[in-house]
Amino acid sequence: MTDRIHGLVAATYTPFDAHGRLDVTPIEAMVEYLIASGIRGLYVCGSTGEGMSLTTDERCRVAEAYVQAAAGRVPIFVQVGHNSLTDAKMLAAHAESIGADAVSATCPSYFKIASTEGLIECMHEIASSAPGLPFYYYHIPVLTGSTVDIVDFLSRAGQAIPNLAGLKYTDTKLHEFQQCLELEGGRYDVVWGCDEMMLGALATGSRGAIGSTYNIAAPLYERMSAAFESGDMQTARQLQSKSIEMIRILGQFPFHSAMKEVLRMLGFEFGTCRLPQQSLTRNQVAKLREDLVQLDVLAELIAP
C-alpha cells in the first residue's frame, strides 16, 4: 500500500456458529457482497469484528480467511491490538506473513497508557514486528481510555516508528481530526471512523473512512460522498440524516448484536456477538426489522 485510503473501508464482522464457535465459512460470500457494494477495503478484527473477544489463534484464522477471500482485490487491514504486547507483536508478524496490506493496533487498555512516550513505545513494539507493512494507530479513546494527546503522538511518533502511515481516527473531535490531517503538510493518512459524522469529516478534508455500517449501507455513503463532491450539499445532508437515523435505530439495541441481525436479514449468518455483548431477543429482532424496513435506505434490502 503506497496510496492513501480513498472511499469506504468496511470494519468487518466475525462469524460464529450457533454454539458461539468461530466459523469462517460465511466470510467468502460476505467479501463478495462488500466488494460488489463499493467497499474499497476491509478492516479485520477491530471493535466491529470483536477482536478483543477472540483468542489469538482465532484472530489469526479470521485474518487468513479475509485475506484469502479478498484475493488482492481490496486492501486488508488487520487490527492486532492486545493487552499483551507479545501477542500483538505475534499477530502483526502473522498479518505480514499471510499477505495483509496493513497493520493497525489499539493501545493496551487494562493498564492505561499515561504518556505520549509510553504510547509511542508500545506502538513501536507492534509496528516493528511487521516492518514491511504500513502501520495505522487505532485511536478510539472511548474504549481504550487513553487520554494521550493524539496530535502530540502523531507529531512525535514518526521518528520512532518508520512505517507509521497514519491513524484510524474514531472520535468526534473534528478540529483535532483536521489538525492530524494537516500535520507536517499532510504527511499522514488519517482515516475517519465515525459513520454518523462522515459528512463533517468530508468537509474537513477526509477522503477515506472505516466503519461498521458500511457493511449494510455502503451505497448510501457512496451517494452522500458523490453529492458532497458535486457541491449538492442539500442531498448530502439528507443522506447523512438517513445514516444518523439508521444508527439511532441500531443503537436502541446492543449495537453490534443488532448489526449481526441485519446481516442475517440480508442472508449472511454470522451468529451473535460473544459476551459481554448481549444478544437480541426475538421481540427486539422483530422491532429492529420493522424500524429498518420503514427507513427508506434499507427498505429495498430487507423485505417486510
Side-chain angles (χ1 to χ4, degrees):
M1 279 183 57
T2 57
D3 297 329
R4 300 293 178 98
I5 298 172
H6 286 264
L8 304 177
V9 175
T12 60
Y13 281 89
T14 296
F16 303 119
D17 66 17
H19 302 286
R21 297 171 301 205
L22 179 65
D23 176 13
V24 300
T25 307
I27 286 177
E28 183 177 0
M30 189 74 217
V31 169
E32 296 302 321
Y33 172 80
L34 291 173
I35 292 175
S37 70
I39 290 297
R40 307 290 184 84
L42 305 173
Y43 189 88
V44 178
C45 290
S47 307
T48 302
E50 299 178 77
M52 301 310 179
S53 297
L54 303 177
T55 67
T56 297
D57 177 67
E58 286 175 329
R59 291 171 73 165
C60 290
R61 290 169 59 196
V62 172
E64 290 166 8
Y66 272 106
V67 168
Q68 182 177 357
R73 291 173 293 171
V74 294
I76 305 293
F77 302 75
V78 180
Q79 198 286 123
V80 302
H82 203 293
N83 276 323
S84 164
L85 286 180
T86 299
D87 278 21
K89 292 165 64 176
M90 188 278 285
L91 287 166
H94 174 264
E96 186 170 27
S97 74
I98 63 173
D101 300 280
V103 165
S104 181
T106 56
C107 61
S109 57
Y110 185 85
F111 295 112
K112 299 293 187 288
I113 300 291
S115 66
T116 301
E117 291 81 6
L119 181 56
I120 291 172
E121 186 175 3
C122 287
M123 294 304 104
H124 172 266
E125 287 281 310
I126 299 171
S128 64
S129 296
L133 295 184
F135 177 78
Y136 286 77
Y137 173 57
Y138 182 3
H139 176 62
I140 184 166
V142 70
L143 291 182
T144 63
S146 173
T147 58
V148 171
D149 184 324
I150 194 61
V151 178
D152 185 45
F153 166 79
L154 200 59
S155 65
R156 297 164 58 184
Q159 298 175 3
I161 307 173
N163 55 333
L164 178 64
L167 302 174
K168 178 183 185 293
Y169 185 93
T170 305
D171 203 355
T172 58
K173 302 181 181 71
L174 282 171
H175 63 284
E176 185 178 71
F177 176 69
Q178 183 172 347
Q179 283 184 288
C180 292
L181 279 174
E182 297 174 353
L183 190 68
E184 297 182 33
R187 173 180 175 180
Y188 293 107
D189 188 15
V190 185
V191 188
W192 185 250
C194 185
D195 305 7
E196 60 268 51
M197 294 180 64
M198 183 177 162
L199 182 56
L202 288 172
T204 307
S206 172
R207 290 298 176 265
I210 300 172
S212 305
T213 60
Y214 308 153
N215 285 279
I216 62 172
L220 179 152
Y221 294 99
E222 288 283 356
R223 293 197 303 272
M224 181 176 69
S225 181
F228 171 81
E229 292 294 337
S230 69
D232 184 359
M233 293 305 298
Q234 181 177 356
T235 297
R237 285 193 294 268
Q238 289 172 345
L239 291 168
Q240 181 70 89
S241 180
K242 283 199 173 187
S243 159
I244 293 168
E245 178 62 15
M246 175 180 65
I247 292 169
R248 187 195 68 79
I249 290 170
L250 291 161
Q252 295 177 98
F253 313 96
F255 183 85
H256 291 302
S257 296
M259 280 289 296
K260 280 195 164 184
E261 292 296 339
V262 177
L263 292 182
R264 181 177 289 114
M265 296 173 197
L266 296 177
F268 301 102
E269 182 53 69
F270 270 53
T272 59
C273 290
R274 283 183 173 171
L275 291 172
Q277 297 190 80
Q278 295 289 320
S279 301
L280 273 62
T281 66
R282 289 184 179 180
N283 287 342
Q284 286 177 320
V285 172
K287 180 67 164 64
L288 173 64
R289 176 188 290 271
E290 178 184 354
D291 289 350
L292 289 178
V293 167
Q294 291 177 1
L295 189 64
D296 290 344
V297 68
L298 292 180
E300 296 178 2
L301 299 180
I302 304 174

